[in-house]
Amino acid sequence: MTADVSLALIGVGPRGASILERLTMILRDRDVPTGLVIHLIDPAEPGPGAVWRTDQPRSLLMNSPVGSTTLFPDTSMTTLAPPAAGLTLFDWCRAVVAQHDGVTGDDASEPTGMLAEQPVAGVPGTYLGEMRGLTADGYPSRAIYGLYLRWFLRRTLAMLPAGVEVREHRTHADDVERLPDGRYRVALADSDPLVVDAAVLSLGWLPAVEEGAPASTARRIAPATAIDQNLDAIAPGEHLIVRGFGMNFFDSMALLTEGRGGRFISRAGRLRYQASGAEPVLHVGSGRGVPHRSKSEFSLRSRIRLPRTEAVVAARLPDRRPIDLTRELLPAIEADALEAYYRALAETDPHSIGGRLDALVAALGTQRERSAVEASVSDPGLRLDLHRLGRPLDDDFVSPDAFDQALREFVRRELHEGGREVSPLKVAAAVYGAARKAVGPLIRGGQLVPSDYDGPYPRFSALGAALAGGPPPRRMAELEALLDAGMVHGVGPDMRVTTTSSGFEAESPAVRGSRVHATHLLEAWMHRPAVTKSADPLLQRLLDRGLLRAHRVGGIETGAIDVDLDTGRAIGANGVAQDCLLVLGVPTEGVQIFTIVSPTIEPNSAFLRETDTVAAGLASLLLSRR
């Protein structure tokens, strides 16, 4: 083939880099078209992208253990492209340290050889020191993952077959238009447009149109990743209302304390906070009124079992009939979480359960559950209340001080439970969180009843994240120190925020006297992906032009861009899959799940299966242009 063939990869963070690696593995074994050009389009550095950029503060941490993070699919995965030997982030960090120290031969780990092919240069000394101290279950700075992604992409580019040209464009793609000959015209923000044979959208988190946002937007810091919010607007000593107690809160907390010169000092096995004087005072609230539960210091993967949930899913998948999440799935999920709790309780405290454990387990999820639990577990304090697991401070409090004391006790218990090798509470929370993946096949098949997408499913997904997708233990220890130092206060459950002439007021109906005034409101949360509410100009133009459409089930929007899951091809307004326009990642959350999670070591990683599928589809399209 003599004519040029070209591809535009729009968005080159981890997913874009992974697509390129998967495509490279396919092209290495094929007769590659002469003049194949791949355009990498991203205003941020290709590889790390915006989220994992390498210049962000070290106080921002990953939320996945370093030992389980990887972009390389191994032989345990069913892949369309050949699997590739590679490194976990932990192995890579060890190899970088060994390379820096000049270690070779028997003293070097096997991964050092991979770095010999593509050496890592320019790692700051502060990060080398952090890498030396990492353990496989540690949580490194995000910038370290960014360095890994940079190396991963450079290694991939070096492996491309001869005759493939890569051109980088550090800019935004403003528009994609289908031409009469089937190719696509990609308009760039600050350079000439491109004409390509295929385009891939791997866009990550996108801004959203905010409906009903408070009028005083100059004082309201809108939802975004913490690193992209204007925290400089918050003055030292200012009392700040923070809405959101999840992962964005912990990032903001780090930037507004340690990021402003404060220090966490370890004393007698606990952290103490030494203020710099540049910090604000945070008044934090949310619907549940408590932070996401922190991760365990121990792996719980071997304890996650969902027999009832998996049986319900397996029974309903073949007939394609809709399933009611609230009536049919949640009872099975809750029974599985209760079983995990009581089995772990029997293991850690054998005398806590009277009678036969199997009899108790058999009663879970049936009308006999309550009486069986009461008969088997004599201590009411050891019986698991799943509502309290999600809303542990769902009470009335006589004062803000009383709520702060309860919040401190919750945080301390979280730290205690996270430090236990077998914590019944942590096991139950992990099982409930894992149920989100178990119901994934039903999401991919559009088999929930339509009304579930408008409330029950988002609430279930959010609760699973709050129970099992929380911060590293270190973050919870820092929160404890800040509560003790008076730098953080809880407002309470079901916090309400109103706009005033001078800023904002927040209060909780559960906490008497909780009203607090502040000049600024920090929104420490992210909008759920919703394509029709996206403020991204590129997506809006593609929707208006009919090249994309919103995914719907029974007329209810799920928030996702509609795609053919077998190929990654976008489905247009006419219901037809676009031949050479592919979409993946966060904007497809709703037609599939866990698009916001980094790739980890697990059989058939959803992230890597998705990029593998898209790469295989791309290869087929590009190689057909003969």
Side-chain angles (χ1 to χ4, degrees):
M1 176 176 166
T2 57
D4 288 349
V5 180
S6 57
L7 158 69
L9 189 52
I10 303 170
V12 199
R15 266 191 180 81
S18 179
I19 292 169
L20 192 59
E21 184 272 340
R22 297 283 72 212
L23 183 61
T24 298
M25 295 303 295
I26 296 173
L27 295 180
R28 291 179 72 193
D29 297 330
R30 304 290 182 89
D31 179 15
V32 179
T34 302
L36 173 57
V37 177
I38 301 175
H39 298 276
L40 305 183
I41 305 168
D42 199 314
E45 179 186 358
V51 172
W52 304 103
R53 51 189 182 264
T54 58
D55 61 350
Q56 61 188 297
R58 284 189 60 208
S59 56
L60 295 178
L61 305 180
M62 290 190 69
N63 200 37
S64 300
V66 63
S68 63
T69 301
T70 186
L71 271 179
F72 292 94
D74 60 21
T75 54
S76 70
M77 270 193 61
T78 303
T79 59
L80 300 171
L87 305 177
T88 66
L89 179 55
F90 178 59
D91 289 336
W92 180 83
C93 288
R94 292 170 57 210
V96 168
V97 171
Q99 175 190 276
H100 179 268
D101 293 345
V103 177
T104 58
D106 295 336
D107 293 329
S109 59
E110 180 182 343
T112 309
M114 293 192 69
L115 261 64
E117 302 172 3
Q118 184 64 43
V120 178
V123 178
T126 52
Y127 289 117
L128 283 170
E130 183 180 345
M131 290 176 185
R132 291 183 195 279
L134 281 174
T135 58
D137 56 358
Y139 297 84
S141 302
R142 288 184 189 167
I144 285 182
Y145 187 39
L147 293 170
Y148 171 81
L149 293 168
R150 174 192 290 168
W151 168 83
F152 176 86
L153 182 66
R154 289 178 178 176
R155 180 178 182 271
T156 297
L157 294 175
M159 295 173 64
L160 279 166
V164 178
E165 181 184 355
V166 174
R167 300 176 188 171
E168 291 187 14
H169 307 269
R170 292 284 189 95
T171 187
H172 290 279
D174 285 343
D175 197 2
V176 176
E177 179 182 3
R178 188 179 178 92
L179 301 176
D181 63 3
R183 294 185 298 169
Y184 291 90
R185 178 183 180 274
V186 180
L188 302 180
D190 54 10
S191 57
D192 293 337
L194 308 171
V195 175
V196 297
D197 295 277
V200 181
L201 307 183
S202 177
L203 300 176
W205 286 101
L206 296 171
V209 174
E210 296 201 80
E211 300 173 351
S216 54
T217 52
R219 294 171 176 169
R220 174 181 177 266
I221 302 174
T225 57
I227 193 66
D228 292 321
Q229 291 177 306
N230 181 23
L231 301 185
D232 291 340
I234 302 163
E238 178 181 335
H239 286 255
L240 172 68
I241 295 172
V242 183
R243 179 157 49 189
F245 232 151
M247 298 311 299
N248 270 38
F249 160 73
F250 284 100
D251 288 345
S252 301
M253 181 188 83
L255 292 173
L256 290 169
T257 55
E258 197 172 19
R260 291 195 173 189
R263 295 176 60 207
F264 291 98
I265 301 170
S266 181
R267 291 178 183 166
R270 293 176 62 185
L271 292 183
R272 295 290 182 267
Y273 185 68
Q274 184 178 86
S276 69
E279 308 92 337
V281 177
L282 310 183
H283 299 269
V284 192
S286 66
R288 299 186 316 117
V290 295
H292 281 18
R293 291 184 178 271
S294 58
K295 291 183 169 61
S296 173
E297 295 178 21
F298 300 90
S299 174
L300 302 177
R301 184 172 296 178
S302 64
R303 297 180 175 274
I304 294 176
R305 300 183 184 88
L306 290 148
R308 298 167 186 81
T309 306
E310 290 170 354
V312 172
V313 172
R316 294 300 289 274
L317 269 179
D319 62 21
R320 307 284 298 173
R321 287 185 298 119
I323 186 168
D324 188 300
L325 175 70
T326 303
R327 289 193 308 104
E328 299 177 80
L329 271 172
L330 281 183
I333 292 167
E334 291 171 354
D336 284 337
L338 289 168
E339 177 179 349
Y341 172 84
Y342 288 116
R343 287 195 181 280
L345 183 63
E347 179 181 344
T348 56
D349 186 1
H351 301 294
S352 62
I353 296 181
R356 291 175 51 243
L357 176 62
D358 288 347
L360 169 59
V361 167
L364 298 176
T366 73
Q367 294 182 344
R368 297 181 291 111
E369 179 183 301
R370 181 173 179 177
S371 60
V373 170
E374 291 176 349
S376 299
V377 186
S378 59
D379 183 352
L382 293 178
R383 299 170 191 161
L384 180 61
D385 182 337
L386 286 172
H387 173 77
R388 300 289 292 194
L389 187 67
R391 294 180 66 99
L393 301 186
D394 208 5
D395 298 300
D396 291 324
F397 297 88
V398 298
S399 69
D401 286 344
F403 181 76
D404 271 354
Q405 180 58 36
L407 183 59
R408 279 193 292 270
E409 290 172 0
F410 167 79
V411 169
R412 286 168 186 160
R413 187 176 185 194
E414 272 296 286
L415 288 168
H416 169 72
E417 295 294 334
R420 298 176 64 186
E421 187 170 356
V422 181
S423 162
L425 278 177
K426 289 295 181 188
V427 171
V431 167
Y432 194 98
R436 294 171 295 164
K437 182 176 180 180
V439 304
L442 296 173
I443 302 300
R444 289 172 62 89
Q447 283 184 248
L448 295 187
V449 296
S451 58
D452 279 341
Y453 292 94
D454 210 21
Y457 176 69
R459 287 194 295 270
F460 159 68
S461 183
L463 179 58
L467 296 179
R474 165 83 185 187
R475 282 286 188 252
M476 197 63 81
E478 291 171 352
L479 176 58
E480 179 191 29
L482 291 167
L483 287 165
D484 289 343
M487 304 301 299
V488 172
H489 298 279
V491 176
D494 301 313
M495 183 180 77
R496 297 190 293 252
V497 178
T498 56
T499 305
T500 69
S501 59
S502 59
F504 301 90
E505 286 183 351
E507 63 180 329
S508 165
V511 182
R512 192 180 308 165
S514 62
R515 185 175 299 171
V516 60
H517 306 265
T519 302
H520 288 94
L521 167 65
L522 174 61
E523 303 285 21
W525 53 278
M526 297 285 284
H527 287 282
R528 290 182 62 242
V531 60
T532 56
K533 297 178 181 179
S534 173
D536 182 70
L538 173 59
L539 279 194
Q540 287 307 312
R541 288 169 183 144
L542 287 168
L543 284 169
D544 293 344
R545 197 169 282 126
L547 291 176
L548 300 180
R549 74 175 185 183
H551 177 248
R552 292 179 172 85
V553 176
I556 302 293
E557 289 187 7
T558 66
I561 294 173
D562 203 1
V563 295
D564 175 9
L565 290 173
D566 292 331
T567 62
R569 291 189 296 168
I571 297 178
N574 60 0
V576 177
Q578 308 294 314
D579 283 341
C580 300
L581 180 63
L582 297 90
V583 183
L584 75 166
V586 177
T588 67
E589 181 74 25
V591 69
Q592 52 189 351
I593 63 167
F594 280 178
T595 60
I596 64 173
V597 178
S598 297
T600 57
I601 297 174
E602 58 177 315
N604 281 329
S605 159
F607 180 109
L608 295 175
R609 276 192 293 110
E610 182 189 32
T611 57
D612 183 73
T613 296
V614 169
L618 277 176
S620 177
L621 293 169
L622 296 174
L623 294 172
S624 69
R625 304 278 176 166
R626 295 182 179 277

